Amino acid sequence: MKSQLTDEDLIRQTLNTNPTACFEALYKRYVGKVYKRCLSLTKDTETAHDFTHDIFIRTFTRLDRFQERSTFSTWLYSISYNYCLDQIRISNRLSMTTLEDSTANEYVDSDDYGPQEERGKLLTSALNSLSPQEANLLRMKYQQGMDIRQLAQHFNLKESAIKMRLKRSREKVRQIYLETAYQV
């Protein structure tokens, strides 16, 4: 009988009495379509599977907010599309490379600036020219291995503020490193 109900009727009738059955029925109806939407946006099967899983969890936790202003499928596809775009935007903006990767390897040909020891000195010099707070943040992240959440708690800041400070500090180090390297 549940398979014959519209999405909206299914939500109205079973969300409060049997949320698991409601979610399961909606999941079975739309998992393939949501996956295809994610795959078309990400072009990666593993990422599309992860996003699909996250979208259904997000949708289920917000199912009580569905107000039937549109069909359930439209609402779900809107969540899917926005979620994928947000995740893609975040990953592009905050590509988390290590400090050494973003300076010594990605931007500088290792043969151009001598042995590893010389590059290490250039990197140390670049770090030392940062403000103490910026240098401390980078050291805690890359030498002590603290994650974003730990750093946010330590500095009493939001995670987004920590990510932005890390990004800016890495960019400063890279710029100083490159300027110094070209002077050598």
Side-chain angles (χ1 to χ4, degrees), residues 94 148 152 157-165:
L94 299 173
I148 300 297
L157 295 169
K158 292 183 177 183
E159 289 182 21
S160 60
I162 291 295
K163 290 174 183 177
M164 186 53 67
R165 288 182 184 196

Side-chain angles (χ1 to χ4, degrees), residues 8-27:
E8 294 76 16
D9 290 338
L10 178 67
I11 293 168
R12 272 187 248 117
Q13 290 181 14
T14 60
L15 180 60
N16 293 326
T17 57
N18 193 351
T20 304
C22 178
F23 177 72
E24 187 176 321
L26 293 171
Y27 181 84

